[in-house]
Amino acid sequence: SLMNVGFGSAGVDIIRQYLLKGSSTGRLALHQSGSTVNCIFLFCDIRQFTDATEALQEEIFVFTNKIAYVVHSICHAYDGYVNKNIGDAFLVAWRLPDDPSMDDDVQAIPSIRDNKLAEAHADKALYSMIKIVVALRNNSYFLETIGAVAKSRLLEKLGGEKGQVVRLGFGLHSGKAVQGAIGSQRKI
């Protein structure tokens, strides 16, 4: 759905909860506390993005959106959900199961080794990262719709035609996060 594309699956759930809690007033209930979740996080950012932006100018959006398509598609195929895009960076999460034996205030981070579902999510996150690295080697995909002048400037800025045009830095982490809505009645 459009809501899922705009806000992500976690965002849709949060917005639904906030709308339900504020339904009697007809306004979002933004005075609610967030909730703690356990996740595996994949963070990646486009290296030399400032150089690419200077070279591509208006075409940086086409370039960045092609990279986003690769990251989002691969992670989605392995059950990750895109949490946010932040300019030249992407945050993807795999939600881990909560430990029902712990109360909400002291929710333990499940050990990945002790939990088959958590282990499977960790494998999917790592495999997604590897698949992204392999997909980034396809320079022609990222350059095919870029104009000749911009392409020439980009290749010059990034060191010629040898090697990959797109390089990402990656980080994987497992742990707790707090999720909730931030904003006002005008923008969340």
Side-chain angles (χ1 to χ4, degrees):
S1 77
L2 186 56
M3 286 280 291
N4 206 11
V5 170
F7 296 103
S9 59
V12 170
D13 290 340
I14 291 165
I15 291 168
R16 182 181 301 116
Q17 290 172 15
Y18 281 68
L19 285 171
L20 291 172
K21 289 177 183 176
S23 63
S24 62
T25 64
R27 299 175 59 86
L28 285 171
L30 293 172
H31 60 279
Q32 304 294 319
S33 297
S35 60
T36 301
V37 294
N38 297 312
C39 295
I40 295 172
F41 299 97
L42 169 66
F43 177 83
C44 55
D45 69 325
I46 303 169
R47 298 302 163 104
Q48 294 183 277
F49 188 72
T50 301
D51 292 335
T53 301
E54 289 172 2
L56 296 175
Q57 298 173 16
E58 295 88 0
E59 293 185 72
I60 191 65
F61 294 97
V62 174
F63 185 72
T64 304
N65 288 339
K66 284 191 164 212
I67 297 167
Y69 178 78
V70 168
V71 171
H72 295 175
S73 297
I74 290 171
C75 291
H76 180 76
Y78 294 97
D79 301 323
Y81 67 89
V82 178
N83 183 279
K84 63 177 75 180
N85 301 319
I86 317 153
D88 66 337
F90 311 100
L91 179 64
V92 183
W94 284 260
R95 179 92 183 259
L96 297 176
D98 294 329
D99 183 346
S101 66
M102 302 296 285
D103 65 33
D104 288 339
D105 293 335
V106 196
Q107 185 63 251
I109 300 170
S111 169
I112 289 176
R113 288 182 218 166
D114 297 339
N115 183 310
K116 292 294 182 193
L117 183 57
E119 187 177 303
H121 282 324
D123 290 344
K124 290 176 184 180
L126 181 59
Y127 191 62
S128 294
M129 186 179 76
I130 293 167
K131 296 265 300 189
I132 292 166
V133 168
V134 170
L136 295 178
R137 299 182 62 81
N138 185 1
N139 286 345
S140 61
Y141 170 74
F142 299 103
L143 297 175
E144 67 190 3
T145 56
I146 304 293
V149 173
K151 187 186 307 184
S152 175
R153 286 192 308 251
L154 178 67
L155 293 174
E156 183 179 319
K157 280 267 190 195
L158 300 182
E161 293 190 35
K162 295 183 178 166
Q164 288 179 221
V165 172
V166 179
R167 293 179 183 94
L168 295 182
F170 291 92
L172 277 173
H173 174 74
S174 174
K176 291 183 180 184
V178 179
Q179 68 179 12
I182 297 175
S184 70
Q185 296 296 324
R186 298 186 187 277
K187 174 74 173 139
I188 54 172

